Amino acid sequence: MKDSGTTIRILFIGDIFGMLGKRILAERLPSLLEQERIDCCIANGENAAGGNGLTSNLAKKFRKFGINVITGGNHSFSVPDKDFEFMNQPHILRPLNYPEGNPGHGSTIYELPSGIKVGVVNLIGRTFLHEIPDCPFRSGKAAIEQIKAQTPVIIVDIHAEATSEKISFAWYVDGIASAVLGTHTHVQTADERILPGGTGYISDVGMTGPEASSIGMKPQPVIKKFLFQTHSRFEPSEEGPMLNAVVLEVDSTTGKTTAIKRIYERITFSHE
Ligand SMILES: [Fe+2]
Ligand SMILES: [Fe+2]
């Protein structure tokens, strides 16, 4: 058995939603990073641009706020930037298992000032989603095993609808990934835990955006869609600022998670 090494603290932020999500980060992220003594911050940014996608400018802002790696999801390709050029930057990910030939990439290795490396893998599920990606189990495990040659610390964002798919993937890579963190539903689950092999897990980290919403959008048009089954124009809500995240403690030598803590904060803006 390997000796235990330095513990690193990783903050993973649930789907940043729209303008309010950005304001929440500007307000709270610097103090949260300090308070939690965070070494590496990862955030899902697939809904940052008005609820759909991420733009180059927003990615730059998030980096300034202190986010080191931005992951994506089914909205990664809904961005207004037609060329997707910015997605080729190493710290910006989209799901790895989209068919070959798409722009961007699905994994990266972020190096801390201490030299410790944090691998990040972004996957998308196949159950109850419209996308038809490659198998997240096979491609995800292969990516984790490849990164393993460079670092034992590997965080997986599995962007998926079904909790069964997310937890099954976590069991599949228990002991080889440091953590498997679910995103996409925008609803935080209370099942954070550490699997027997040392893989930290939560079915969904939740959303950083408007709590007074139907998963980010103003409720009324969504209700209308459910009632009448016809097209309804959804608008991002700006009400009820909320930050959802988890903090992981990971042993940098073994790659195992030793603690996982859920964060669900309602934010008050200082200048209001
Ligand atoms: Fe999302
Ligand atoms: Fe999503």
Side-chain angles (χ1 to χ4, degrees):
M1 196 175 145
K2 285 179 186 170
D3 293 338
S4 62
T6 312
T7 295
I8 57 164
R9 296 175 61 84
I10 297 170
L11 178 71
F12 187 102
I13 300 171
D15 300 29
I16 303 163
F17 196 97
M19 186 69 87
L20 192 66
K22 188 181 80 178
R23 284 182 63 208
I24 293 163
L25 293 179
E27 173 76 30
R28 181 62 176 120
L29 190 56
S31 58
L32 187 61
L33 293 173
E34 206 179 292
Q35 184 187 319
E36 294 289 343
R37 293 168 285 113
I38 296 303
D39 300 297
C40 174
C41 177
I42 307 163
N44 186 297
E46 72 143 4
N47 306 107
N52 288 299
L54 174 73
T55 62
S56 168
N57 278 342
L58 282 166
K60 272 186 213 150
K61 282 208 173 82
F62 293 166
R63 210 165 158 76
K64 272 192 200 147
F65 293 159
I67 294 168
N68 306 117
V69 178
I70 307 172
T71 56
N74 52 310
H75 289 297
S76 282
F77 297 105
S78 328
V79 292
D81 293 28
K82 290 285 182 287
D83 59 8
F84 299 119
E85 189 56 41
F86 76 96
M87 279 210 277
N88 292 322
Q89 296 174 75
H91 66 285
I92 298 175
L93 304 183
R94 48 80 171 165
L96 175 95
N97 51 321
Y98 269 110
E100 218 180 302
N102 275 301
H105 45 269
S107 68
T108 193
I109 295 175
Y110 174 74
E111 192 170 338
L112 306 183
S114 61
I116 292 169
K117 292 173 178 164
V118 178
V120 185
V121 177
N122 188 189
L123 299 172
I124 190 164
R126 294 195 288 194
T127 307
F128 309 135
L129 278 167
H130 298 300
E131 284 70 18
I132 308 173
D134 298 337
C135 175
F137 284 72
R138 293 180 177 87
S139 52
K141 194 175 192 180
I144 292 164
E145 278 166 349
Q146 213 179 356
I147 293 174
K148 208 83 184 161
Q150 293 190 60
T151 177
V153 182
I154 303 166
I155 309 300
V156 180
D157 170 351
I158 182 156
H159 195 82
E161 191 75 56
T163 47
S164 60
E165 193 171 15
K166 297 189 236 194
I167 184 64
S168 300
F169 182 79
W171 283 110
Y172 185 58
V173 296
D174 181 26
I176 62 163
S178 304
V180 173
L181 308 173
T183 60
H184 175 68
T185 70
H186 298 188
V187 177
Q188 190 179 76
T189 56
D191 61 339
E192 76 278 14
R193 58 180 140 152
I194 301 168
L195 299 183
T199 296
Y201 177 75
I202 187 168
S203 290
D204 212 293
V205 179
M207 173 177 71
T208 292
E211 188 182 34
S213 73
S214 178
I215 63 169
M217 297 296 180
K218 288 181 180 169
Q220 287 310 320
V222 183
I223 294 169
K224 193 176 158 226
K225 168 124 199 215
F226 279 113
L227 279 175
F228 301 107
Q229 298 296 308
T230 51
H231 176 74
S232 178
R233 205 185 139 95
F234 295 170
E235 256 184 86
S237 166
E238 298 281 323
E239 303 295 319
M242 161 185 85
L243 187 148
N244 286 176
V246 290
V247 176
L248 300 167
E249 284 182 14
V250 180
D251 184 299
S252 64
T253 303
T254 62
K256 292 184 191 305
T257 286
T258 52
I260 177 167
K261 178 174 83 170
R262 200 156 44 83
I263 294 179
Y264 192 115
E265 269 189 23
R266 296 187 173 97
I267 305 295
T268 306
F269 290 116
S270 49
H271 52 279
E272 277 176 3

